[in-house]
Amino acid sequence: MTTAAHGADREVVIIGSGPAGLTAALYAARANLRPLLIEGLEAGGQLMLTTMVENWPGFRDGIMGPDLMTEMRLQAERFGTEVVQGNVTAVDVRKRPFTITLEDGRTITTAALIIATGASARWLDIGSDRKLSGRGVSTCATCDGYFFRGKPIAVVGGGDSAMEEAVYLTKFASKVTVIHRRDTLRASKIMQDKAFKNPKIDFIWDSEVIDVADLEKGEVTSLVLRNIKTGETSHLAVDGVFIAIGHTPNTSLFKGQVELDASGYIVTGDGTRTNIPGVFAAGDVQDHVYRQAVTAAGSGCMAAIDAERYLEGLPSVDETTDLASNATV
Amino acid sequence: MASDKVKTFTDSNFDEETKQGVVLVDFWAEWCGPCRRIAPIVDQLATEYDGRAKIGKMNVDENPNVPTSRFHVRGIPTLVVLKDGELVDTIVGLVPKEDIVSAIEKHLG
């Protein structure tokens, strides 16, 4: 077993359990690499926060996001993927084999690593929004919309997810005000049309949220807005605010070890390869362009194939004692 | 999983069930994806703290009063820790199990 795993506990470890991680696990398992997949805190990834997914090929009537992720996980497990719950607290890819530390203190060594840690919702960076999280500030309409039945709320952002959230929230809220920094939306035409023709949705253009009140009461009562063009500030009375201003890649574990771009995304080239031979990245953690479940799954498949080829090129343990210097493709 | 150790809190039994000792309440709903991730952790805690702290779940759909009126829950998953009926800690959103453990430990004598 040690020989098969090139002197490590595992041949391949995958961090992350969204479409990228689970597809990588499926392919690695079918290649007899007995992958270990570490779920991470936000197990199942962003699709766990959605309702109906209408653009996953093969489901013409759509499929619920959490159901799709359950199926993917069971499929990966069926072929021998071992899934570990919990979060990774440290990764060391400077030495071979690579070492991964889990939150319970356990460490695992691996010959190849697939990073599929995804991206998480961005906050406003004004402090008061995070402090009122769960008290009227939310980044998940499907989780929290229910609590705002018959109440006025706001959605911050101008992309597809902001429009999706706004439309979804009209099921509960008395009124939804979309606050956007520009005077046009970034969202796709189909989502814009849905939002514009919904009578419950209003727009405030060219404006940003500079504060969320009321910290003292511990709940959201209003927003302070600033018009970017005129500099004027105004107040908007709402019971809740949903933030949909994009995502940040979950790469803090790899800072200083794996090459990241200016926005913190992992840089990949020649498929899913990172600057460290044996470390591959798939899904939203390395993609700020497409960010779709199906593209994440596709790159997860690529990462598994890239990892398999990398492992095939490694010398077996009895041929060499110095893995570090020889571990290149 | 040993989910039989997890209490089910309701608007009607809440005061009686939580008036003594350290109690962890998990506010959840069927439609909440992230709540499904907290559920297995809550199950484990119920076994690990059996006899030391009471661990239970409260469905926000079925119980309109305690979650929203008393605890002002505006998002789930939300976990609260009570000691002798008093609110002593609130955890909002997904957190590692260790964070929940330390919130309980802090209030165990």
Side-chain angles (χ1 to χ4, degrees), chain A residues 117-239:
Chain A
T117 47
S120 297
R122 262 178 66 194
W123 292 79
L124 289 171
D125 241 5
I126 54 174
S128 51
D129 61 334
R130 268 186 193 264
K131 287 188 191 130
L132 289 168
S133 159
R135 297 274 181 233
V137 181
S138 173
T139 56
C140 177
T142 57
C143 311
D144 304 335
Y146 167 89
F147 296 100
F148 301 93
R149 278 165 300 178
K151 300 195 167 137
I153 57 170
V155 170
V156 184
D160 271 339
S161 43
M163 293 312 108
E164 259 165 50
E165 301 226 323
V167 171
Y168 175 80
L169 288 165
T170 59
K171 292 205 293 186
F172 308 99
S174 57
K175 187 182 165 189
V176 176
T177 305
V178 173
I179 300 156
H180 187 42
R181 293 169 58 93
R182 302 174 208 287
D183 57 6
T184 52
L185 296 175
R186 213 165 9 92
S188 60
K189 185 78 172 57
I190 186 168
M191 286 313 302
Q192 291 200 21
D193 289 348
K194 271 192 193 172
F196 284 140
K197 71 169 195 243
N198 191 311
K200 277 189 172 178
I201 301 179
D202 272 351
F203 291 83
I204 296 180
W205 302 105
D206 298 315
S207 297
E208 60 184 1
V209 178
I210 55 171
D211 201 14
V212 183
D214 183 324
L215 273 180
E216 257 167 55
K217 280 177 83 176
E219 60 187 39
V220 173
T221 56
S222 70
L223 306 177
V224 184
L225 309 179
R226 189 177 71 94
N227 185 299
I228 290 167
K229 286 189 176 155
T230 65
E232 269 173 61
T233 58
S234 60
H235 287 258
L236 178 70
V238 289
D239 285 66

Side-chain angles (χ1 to χ4, degrees), chain B residues 80-91:
Chain B
V80 295
V81 182
L82 308 179
K83 187 167 188 182
D84 298 331
E86 294 288 315
L87 176 70
V88 288
D89 236 317
T90 305
I91 299 169

Side-chain angles (χ1 to χ4, degrees), chain A residues 43 45 48 103 135 143-144 146, chain B residues 31 37 60-61 71-72 75-76:
Chain A
M48 294 298 285
E103 60 189 336
R135 297 274 181 233
C143 311
D144 304 335
Y146 167 89
Chain B
W31 40 262
R37 306 174 192 153
V60 298
D61 279 333
F71 292 102
H72 304 287
I76 49 176

Side-chain angles (χ1 to χ4, degrees), chain A residues 41-46 48-49 66-67 70 85 87 103-104 133-136 140 142-144 146-148 151 219, chain B residues 31-34 36-37 40-41 44 60-62 68 71-76 78 90 92 94-98:
Chain A
L41 186 56
E42 296 175 40
Q46 291 172 45
M48 294 298 285
L49 307 180
D67 293 343
T70 303
Q85 281 189 348
N87 222 7
E103 60 189 336
D104 61 11
S133 159
R135 297 274 181 233
C140 177
T142 57
C143 311
D144 304 335
Y146 167 89
F147 296 100
F148 301 93
K151 300 195 167 137
E219 60 187 39
Chain B
W31 40 262
C32 164
R36 300 189 197 186
R37 306 174 192 153
I41 299 176
Q44 291 165 17
V60 298
D61 279 333
E62 291 162 7
T68 48
F71 292 102
H72 304 287
V73 171
R74 294 290 180 273
I76 49 176
T78 288
T90 305
V92 174
L94 277 175
V95 294
K97 183 181 172 186
E98 274 60 29

Side-chain angles (χ1 to χ4, degrees), chain A residues 29-326:
Chain A
R30 287 174 58 85
N32 285 327
L33 296 175
R34 298 185 314 110
L36 179 78
L37 180 140
I38 303 163
E39 274 193 329
L41 186 56
E42 296 175 40
Q46 291 172 45
L47 284 189
M48 294 298 285
L49 307 180
T50 64
T51 51
M52 194 60 86
V53 180
E54 294 182 322
N55 54 12
W56 182 262
F59 291 88
R60 62 174 150 173
D61 298 322
I63 179 168
M64 296 300 279
D67 293 343
L68 179 60
M69 296 323 297
T70 303
E71 287 299 322
M72 276 193 211
R73 183 186 156 147
L74 292 172
Q75 191 179 2
E77 285 179 326
R78 186 184 145 210
F79 292 102
T81 300
E82 189 183 331
V83 178
V84 172
Q85 281 189 348
N87 222 7
V88 173
T89 53
V91 167
D92 186 353
V93 297
R94 282 167 290 216
K95 294 192 303 284
R96 287 165 207 276
F98 309 133
T99 308
I100 294 147
T101 308
L102 298 175
E103 60 189 336
D104 61 11
R106 259 190 304 161
T107 62
I108 299 155
T109 58
T110 184
L113 174 67
I114 297 175
I115 302 169
T117 47
S120 297
R122 262 178 66 194
W123 292 79
L124 289 171
D125 241 5
I126 54 174
S128 51
D129 61 334
R130 268 186 193 264
K131 287 188 191 130
L132 289 168
S133 159
R135 297 274 181 233
V137 181
S138 173
T139 56
C140 177
T142 57
C143 311
D144 304 335
Y146 167 89
F147 296 100
F148 301 93
R149 278 165 300 178
K151 300 195 167 137
I153 57 170
V155 170
V156 184
D160 271 339
S161 43
M163 293 312 108
E164 259 165 50
E165 301 226 323
V167 171
Y168 175 80
L169 288 165
T170 59
K171 292 205 293 186
F172 308 99
S174 57
K175 187 182 165 189
V176 176
T177 305
V178 173
I179 300 156
H180 187 42
R181 293 169 58 93
R182 302 174 208 287
D183 57 6
T184 52
L185 296 175
R186 213 165 9 92
S188 60
K189 185 78 172 57
I190 186 168
M191 286 313 302
Q192 291 200 21
D193 289 348
K194 271 192 193 172
F196 284 140
K197 71 169 195 243
N198 191 311
K200 277 189 172 178
I201 301 179
D202 272 351
F203 291 83
I204 296 180
W205 302 105
D206 298 315
S207 297
E208 60 184 1
V209 178
I210 55 171
D211 201 14
V212 183
D214 183 324
L215 273 180
E216 257 167 55
K217 280 177 83 176
E219 60 187 39
V220 173
T221 56
S222 70
L223 306 177
V224 184
L225 309 179
R226 189 177 71 94
N227 185 299
I228 290 167
K229 286 189 176 155
T230 65
E232 269 173 61
T233 58
S234 60
H235 287 258
L236 178 70
V238 289
D239 285 66
V241 56
F242 289 78
I243 302 168
I245 53 169
H247 292 82
T248 24
N250 299 319
T251 50
S252 53
L253 284 172
F254 312 104
K255 226 171 253 171
Q257 301 191 64
V258 178
E259 187 187 352
L260 308 178
D261 71 11
S263 315
Y265 288 86
I266 293 180
V267 177
T268 52
D270 189 15
T272 60
R273 290 167 178 81
T274 68
N275 64 314
I276 310 277
V279 178
F280 307 88
D284 285 10
V285 74
Q286 51 87 54
D287 169 23
H288 53 87
V289 180
Y290 305 105
R291 301 179 294 116
Q292 303 300 301
V294 64
T295 52
S299 68
C301 162
M302 290 160 62
I305 293 173
D306 290 343
E308 189 187 357
R309 298 209 172 128
Y310 166 80
L311 291 166
E312 279 167 3
L314 284 185
S316 66
V317 154
D318 31 312
E319 284 173 30
T320 175
T321 48
D322 185 11
L323 288 168
S325 54
N326 292 320

